[in-house]
């Protein structure tokens, strides 16, 4: 009889198996549609507010450059705020990566979102050199994680919702939904892309981007880049440029970590670090006599598409950004990486047989690809910002930059899943900070 | 003293570590540049020859439709050729996937390349309904593997060169280098993308595509698709279309396997199967009174972007392709999947608030994404064929189709790495054919 029963069940199961599966998949789709909508609305709205504040801060600073004199004070406020309220969220992006890898029981404090937004805006207002993606990603991740206890999510689903938050934040702050969706999937492991969160991540990214747009907040528009035919010259130039971008990414990661290490080892009271860093920054800006290298640097990025710029621009931006973020100011690394890549591409123009716009566009994404170890997201970003034509040029540059940045990166919490080269095979399973 | 020595070595190593690493990476880059160039030239040239022959066969058949009467004879020749010479390479794409997963000692016979090329051209000449990608991928893989003993590659590197061959074949036969590069990385595992072969795969894809172009062989040009704003309607329609494309992909996979099973169980002498299948095909074509559903079907794909087509077109193409490939004719599945998706998108137009061109473009890639379980390659393909604008629409459709096709697919040798849904968690580690 048990045999007969199990046959019945088996036969029933086989016959209705596909109908059952469609039900299961529909439930999954509807569930994540709802969750991704909430995450997307939260992250997209946060990004919209952040972008508006950032724009206001930048405009005010450029109109009143004397405000840079108060950078050390702003630094103290930022350092003090994190020292007193932000101990648990100070790790920022790395905390998110850590929680995706090994979910703990404690959800990420909601404080992460306002803290990082306000301190990033302060950093920009008073003239630090920083970016936006770290802030948007942390806001997205922290806001998304507030749903974890509400929806009683299991650890498996908490990982997915954190990835959704990252994708949504990235997609909405740059206006690049595809790149955002893939970035969330790509960033937490080096050398591998897992599809567990594929659908939720895509849904959250597209919704967050649409929400930011619906708030009436736009993004910088870049030129559609036209490309030459493939030839030995253009191919060789693309490979050579990719190597240069990878080395620049490596230099940036190394500088950031080195500066942070120096400040940590020399100044034990954390809020004092950005004060000292701020003084040094003021001195450098005064020496240079220009605000070109602080803030987001969007005007320089735009100029790099049009005319030759000083060859050392990318080095100064590396130095100032490493100093700003290493001493404790807040913000992302990615817009400075765009700046570094764009100006480096610009500097390579006299040496390589590729159009200026294309070299700049390739550098824009490839230095970021090398520093964040996210070559596919960056290839998609190139397509979303500069058009489909440059896809394979940018893709090749990103992949080569990814190789040449080695096992280094701006996200120390990234874990090596597949080493970039058998030479580093023993790094597998370790965090970048442990190497 | 040993302590001192090891200190010396350590200090030496630390100081020159990065210089060493750059050397290691440069060697890796140059090595794979050389190998990928050879693979790219071989696969790109094979694709060029194949495309020219295919075009000639299609033109001849359309001008002399009586030739379809000889389909059963062509079927016998194909079946007999594989029965006598092709036993080891009959598994085709699945053999390649198998070798990438568990490298054996025996290299793939070079015979695979000419056998699959000639038999595919015969299939098209005499009126079977089939595609191109399987053929191009097998030619690329088989040609690439001839380098394995020449270069004395280790198993680790043999995997990479096989992936290169797949990427190169795919990239050159469709003129989509980015999609080809990612396809090779994405196809052998379901639910995961590993970066071990990232650089070699990109290099081989871009070189193969350039070589095919250099031979003067062009590809079908599709319209650049313009897209609407995101709204609740357009978003909902994209999701609904994605579900439909996923179910169609599932139906296609199921039909192909079912037809193949029936032929295998009823007719034990393999060369006889395509004879019987050919007779049935002739009868169906005679009943339909049109050659629209045989061959590649490019004219219908092009028409689907412009005007409403019969709603049942996609079902007929599923049936005829399943019959053609299931009974033993040769060719790929992908161009028929383009046909099925494009006509299904066309059929959905009256029901969904999206522009016709966009729905057709989404179907074009999304049914393929569901059937091949390669959502990222298909998203890139949409961008390469239809422009960057439709990227996120196509991406969302591909990702949803990927979910709704379940653990089924046209490549039975694909191994489930990350199940699409926890419901199927126990499938992990198994081949699709074992499910």
């Amino acid at each position: 009889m048990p045999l007969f029963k199990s046959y019945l069940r088996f036969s029933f199961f086989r016959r209705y198996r596909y109908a059952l599966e469609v039900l299961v998949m529909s439930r999954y789709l509807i569930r994540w549609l709802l969750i991704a909508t909430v995450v997307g609305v939260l992250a997209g709205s946060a990004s919209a507010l952040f972008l508006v504040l950032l724009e206001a801060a930048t405009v005010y600073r450029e109109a009143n450059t004397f405000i840079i004199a108060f950078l050390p004070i702003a630094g103290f406020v930022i350092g003090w705020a994190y020292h007193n309220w932000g101990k648990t969220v100070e790790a920022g992006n790395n905390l998110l990566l850590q929680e995706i890898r090994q979910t703990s029981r404690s959800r990420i404090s909601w404080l992460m979102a306002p803290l990082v937004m306000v301190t990033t805006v302060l950093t920009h207002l008073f003239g630090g050199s920083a970016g936006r993606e770290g802030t948007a990603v942390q806001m997205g991740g922290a806001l998304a994680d507030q749903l974890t206890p509400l929806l009683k999510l299991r650890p498996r689903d908490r990982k997915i919702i954190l990835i959704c938050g990252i994708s949504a934040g990235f997609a909405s702050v740059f206006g690049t939904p595809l790149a955002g969706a893939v970035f969330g999937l790509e960033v937490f492991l080096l050398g591998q892309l897992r599809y567990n969160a594929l659908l939720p991540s895509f849904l959250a990214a597209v919704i967050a981007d649409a929400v930011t747009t619906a708030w009436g907040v736009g993004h910088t528009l870049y030129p559609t880049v036209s490309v030459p035919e493939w030839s030995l010259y253009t191919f060789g130039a693309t490979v050579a440029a990719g190597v240069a971008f990878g080395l620049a990414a490596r230099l940036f990661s190394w500088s950031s970590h080195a500066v942070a290490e120096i400040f940590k080892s020399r100044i034990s009271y954390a809020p004092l670090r950005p004060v000292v860093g701020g003084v040094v920054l003021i001195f450098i800006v005064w020496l240079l006599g220009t605000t070109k290298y602080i803030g987001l640097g969007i005007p320089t990025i735009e100029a790099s598409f049009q005319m030759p710029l000083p060859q050392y621009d990318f080095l100064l931006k590396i130095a100032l950004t490493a100093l700003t973020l290493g001493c404790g100011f807040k913000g992302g690394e990615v817009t400075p990486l765009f700046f570094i890549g764009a100006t480096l591409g610009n500097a390579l123009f006299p040496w390589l047989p590729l159009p200026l716009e294309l070299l700049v566009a390739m550098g824009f994404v490839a230095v970021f690809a090398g520093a964040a170890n996210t070559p596919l997201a960056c290839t998609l970003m190139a397509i979303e910002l500069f058009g489909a034509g440059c896809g394979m040029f940018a893709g090749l540059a990103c992949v080569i930059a990814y190789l040449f940045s080695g096992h280094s990166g701006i996200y120390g919490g990234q874990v090596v899943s597949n080493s970039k080269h058998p030479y580093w095979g023993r790094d597998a399973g370790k965090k970048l900070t442990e190497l």
Side-chain angles (χ1 to χ4, degrees), chain A:
Chain A
M1 280 310 278
L3 192 74
F4 178 67
K5 260 193 189 162
S6 89
Y7 168 75
L8 255 188
R9 208 163 54 203
F10 180 73
S11 139
F12 173 86
F13 183 69
R14 293 299 295 188
R15 188 172 310 173
Y16 294 98
R17 191 182 159 193
Y18 188 53
L20 250 172
E21 285 185 14
V22 172
L23 277 181
V24 166
M25 294 182 289
S26 303
R27 186 170 166 274
Y28 179 84
L29 174 64
I30 292 167
R31 180 157 184 257
W32 283 106
L33 258 178
L34 295 175
I35 299 177
T37 303
V38 180
V39 173
V41 170
L42 289 173
S45 303
S47 287
L49 176 62
F50 174 56
L51 287 171
V52 168
L53 292 177
L54 207 52
E55 175 68 19
T58 304
V59 168
Y60 187 86
R61 186 195 65 231
E62 289 305 303
N64 308 274
T65 41
F66 70 89
I67 203 175
I68 303 176
F70 302 106
L71 188 59
I73 301 175
F76 185 78
V77 172
I78 292 169
W80 192 85
Y82 268 91
H83 193 65
N84 284 278
W85 307 319
K87 280 267 165 70
T88 57
V89 298
E90 200 163 13
N93 295 331
N94 289 326
L95 176 64
L96 289 173
L97 301 189
Q98 161 88 27
E99 290 293 323
I100 290 173
R101 220 176 50 257
Q102 294 185 310
T103 303
S104 70
R105 274 163 192 277
S106 59
R107 97 187 121 84
I108 294 168
S109 163
W110 62 270
L111 253 177
M112 182 191 243
L115 255 183
V116 76
M117 165 137 58
V118 172
T119 54
T120 303
V121 172
L122 284 179
T123 299
H124 280 274
L125 178 63
F126 291 94
S129 167
R132 310 174 273 195
E133 120 291 344
T135 312
V137 161
Q138 287 177 45
M139 292 192 299
L143 291 172
D145 205 22
Q146 305 313 308
L147 298 177
T148 302
L150 277 180
L151 302 173
K152 300 200 179 74
L153 294 184
R154 295 186 225 186
R156 188 175 67 201
D157 289 337
R158 181 169 178 239
K159 286 182 191 198
I160 296 181
I161 208 173
L162 285 172
I163 293 174
C164 281
I166 292 177
S167 297
F170 191 98
S172 55
V173 83
F174 293 122
T176 53
L178 263 178
V182 173
F183 181 82
L185 301 170
E186 203 175 19
V187 72
F188 58 100
L189 286 175
L190 187 151
Q192 191 183 337
L193 202 156
R194 284 198 194 152
Y195 286 18
N196 310 47
L198 187 71
L199 176 69
S201 173
F202 268 71
L203 291 173
V206 68
I207 293 169
D209 175 51
V211 166
T212 304
T213 310
W215 280 111
V217 177
H219 303 278
T220 317
L221 281 179
Y222 295 99
T224 300
V225 169
S226 56
V227 295
E229 293 284 302
W230 284 110
S231 71
L232 275 187
Y233 289 107
T234 55
F235 180 73
T238 305
V239 171
V243 173
F245 297 140
L247 298 179
R250 173 91 184 210
L251 181 62
F252 179 85
S253 302
W254 179 82
S255 318
S256 308
H257 292 304
V259 172
E261 278 310 306
I262 291 171
F263 272 94
K264 268 187 198 152
S265 64
R266 299 288 160 93
I267 306 171
S268 60
Y269 183 58
L272 218 59
R273 290 174 204 150
V275 177
V276 176
V279 171
V280 179
L281 273 168
I282 293 175
F283 181 69
I284 297 178
V285 173
W286 173 79
L287 261 185
L288 294 171
T290 170
T291 60
K292 181 175 158 184
Y293 303 102
I294 58 173
L296 289 169
I298 304 279
T300 308
I301 296 177
E302 285 173 329
S304 65
F305 282 94
Q306 284 150 8
M307 61 189 102
L309 298 176
Q311 306 256 328
Y312 49 78
D313 269 9
F314 77 100
L315 284 174
L316 281 172
K317 188 69 179 175
I318 290 179
L320 284 180
T321 310
L323 185 56
T324 303
L325 298 176
C327 75
F329 285 97
K330 293 292 160 180
E333 289 92 348
V334 174
T335 311
L337 286 168
F338 292 163
F339 184 118
I340 293 160
T343 50
L344 177 54
N346 190 293
L348 291 174
F349 175 62
W351 313 97
L352 294 176
L354 286 176
L356 176 64
E357 280 193 347
L358 179 59
L359 269 172
V360 173
M362 280 160 56
F364 189 103
V365 292
V367 174
F368 166 34
N373 296 314
T374 55
L376 293 186
C378 292
T379 304
L380 286 167
M381 182 166 229
I383 289 168
E384 290 187 299
L385 294 180
F386 311 115
C390 70
M392 198 62 200
F393 283 90
L396 210 51
C398 286
V399 165
I400 292 172
Y402 167 80
L403 173 67
F404 272 79
S405 72
H407 284 183
S408 75
I410 52 176
Y411 305 119
Q414 231 170 22
V415 166
V416 178
S417 171
N418 285 294
S419 69
K420 293 186 184 180
H421 183 286
Y423 178 76
W424 295 299
R426 272 181 293 179
D427 291 355
K430 291 184 192 153
K431 284 198 278 188
L432 289 186
T433 42
E434 293 165 0
L435 301 179

